[in-house]
């Protein structure tokens, strides 16, 4: 019996396994090419990067045999620099933080969370918005209303009612009852128990809608004839510009 059939050529997986024995590793991260050492990638044993390169390979290779990671390659250089020299990046902080979370590099995550940008976002702004009922849902509602009104228009508007206290919420409801418009099209934010002001919340709304790629601006809603309350007490018009 011929034994040639028992001998199989090295396939992609076996070739990759042999390559892992090399201390030099070539990577293709989202189309960006990097060369580093195995010890650098495994510097933090609990990280996803260390897991990727421990034991049998867990990554596919590209046509040149480089290990492929399907993540934004632009920010991997900051991850790699930290692994090499413990240098915490000072640029693209938000983006690098997302990548550090993905790769689960705990020391880098903790140091980035101490940076003013991440600290301010996680501890200050996010904690404030967590105290505003249905904040994220209301942002999505604003966008749905604006898109529904965008047909054959350059701009569409969304009326927002912002109230900070329970007393203001009751007054806002009275004002809504006097408005000559569909109440379902008015998006209500608040009340909340935190120090930031109505102006701060309006800035947050604009920031988070623009982060989704929309171009918006806002101004106090102009009072209509017979309106029983000053419109700028509660109501603001957000303008979405489409072109």
């Amino acid at each position: 019996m011929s034994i040639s059939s028992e001998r199989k050529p090295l396939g992609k997986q076996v070739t990759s396994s042999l390559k892992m024995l090399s201390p030099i590793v070539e990577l293709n991260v989202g189309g960006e090419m990097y060369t580093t050492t195995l010890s650098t990638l495994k510097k933090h044993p609990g990280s996803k990067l260390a897991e990727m390169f421990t034991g049998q390979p867990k990554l596919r290779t590209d046509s040149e045999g480089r290990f492929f990671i399907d993540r934004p390659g632009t920010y991997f250089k900051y991850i790699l620099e930290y692994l090499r020299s413990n240098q915490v990046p000072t640029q693209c902080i938000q983006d690098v933080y997302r990548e550090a979370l993905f790769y689960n590099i705990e020391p880098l995550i903790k140091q980035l969370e101490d940076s003013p940008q991440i600290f301010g976002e996680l501890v200050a702004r996010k904690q404030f918005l967590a105290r505003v009922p249905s904040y994220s849902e209301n942002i999505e509602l604003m966008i749905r209303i604006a898109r529904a009104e965008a047909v054959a228009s350059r701009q569409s508007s969304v009326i927002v009612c912002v109230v900070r206290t329970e007393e203001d919420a009751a007054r806002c409801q009275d004002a809504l009852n006097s408005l000559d418009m569909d109440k379902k099209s008015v998006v209500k934010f608040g009340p909340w128990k935190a120090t930031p002001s109505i102006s701060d919340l309006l800035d947050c709304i604009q920031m988070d809608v623009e982060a989704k790629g929309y171009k918006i601006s806002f101004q106090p809603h102009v009072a209509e004839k017979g309106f029983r309350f000053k419109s700028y007490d509660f109501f603001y018009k957000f303008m979405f510009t489409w072109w």
Side-chain angles (χ1 to χ4, degrees), residues 110-198:
K110 291 179 180 178
Q111 291 183 70
L112 288 174
E113 287 179 348
D114 284 337
S115 68
Q117 298 94 322
I118 303 298
F119 181 86
E121 177 69 12
L122 293 180
V123 178
R125 199 176 84 91
K126 289 296 186 185
Q127 289 299 313
F128 159 52
L129 295 178
R131 289 167 168 78
V132 180
S134 304
Y135 176 80
S136 297
E137 293 83 351
N138 284 340
I139 293 292
E140 295 301 326
L141 178 57
M142 285 180 62
I143 292 172
R144 288 199 300 271
I145 293 173
R147 292 173 68 95
E149 296 182 358
V151 179
S153 301
R154 183 171 186 177
Q155 292 182 318
S156 53
S157 64
V158 179
I159 304 301
V160 169
C161 176
V162 183
V163 291
R164 185 174 178 181
T165 68
E166 293 289 351
E167 293 78 8
D168 286 344
R171 293 176 62 206
C172 175
Q173 188 59 49
D174 289 341
L176 278 174
N177 292 334
S178 71
L179 276 173
D180 184 21
M181 64 182 302
D182 184 1
K183 298 181 181 62
K184 293 182 180 179
S185 66
V186 178
V187 183
K188 178 186 171 187
F189 287 86
W192 64 87
K193 295 181 180 180
T195 56
S197 65
I198 287 178

Side-chain angles (χ1 to χ4, degrees), residues 28-179:
N28 177 345
V29 185
E32 299 279 344
M33 311 307 166
Y34 294 93
T35 302
T36 186
T37 65
L38 190 59
S39 60
T40 296
L41 295 172
K42 297 170 67 175
K43 184 174 182 178
H44 297 286
S47 70
K48 184 177 289 189
L49 265 180
E51 179 186 346
M52 289 175 179
F53 294 94
T54 299
Q56 291 295 319
K58 301 172 179 65
L59 296 170
R60 294 182 179 274
T61 55
D62 65 12
S63 60
E64 299 297 325
R66 293 173 293 232
F67 290 103
F68 180 73
I69 301 176
D70 194 13
R71 295 294 294 180
T74 303
Y75 311 115
F76 189 75
K77 63 182 178 182
Y78 300 108
I79 299 292
L80 200 55
E81 186 58 37
Y82 177 78
L83 295 176
R84 288 168 172 164
S85 62
N86 290 324
Q87 180 177 332
V88 179
T90 57
Q91 300 177 352
C92 307
I93 301 297
Q94 298 281 357
D95 298 302
V96 177
Y97 179 67
R98 281 194 294 269
E99 295 309 295
L101 288 173
F102 173 79
Y103 294 114
N104 193 29
I105 305 173
E106 287 291 343
L108 178 57
I109 292 172
K110 291 179 180 178
Q111 291 183 70
L112 288 174
E113 287 179 348
D114 284 337
S115 68
Q117 298 94 322
I118 303 298
F119 181 86
E121 177 69 12
L122 293 180
V123 178
R125 199 176 84 91
K126 289 296 186 185
Q127 289 299 313
F128 159 52
L129 295 178
R131 289 167 168 78
V132 180
S134 304
Y135 176 80
S136 297
E137 293 83 351
N138 284 340
I139 293 292
E140 295 301 326
L141 178 57
M142 285 180 62
I143 292 172
R144 288 199 300 271
I145 293 173
R147 292 173 68 95
E149 296 182 358
V151 179
S153 301
R154 183 171 186 177
Q155 292 182 318
S156 53
S157 64
V158 179
I159 304 301
V160 169
C161 176
V162 183
V163 291
R164 185 174 178 181
T165 68
E166 293 289 351
E167 293 78 8
D168 286 344
R171 293 176 62 206
C172 175
Q173 188 59 49
D174 289 341
L176 278 174
N177 292 334
S178 71
L179 276 173

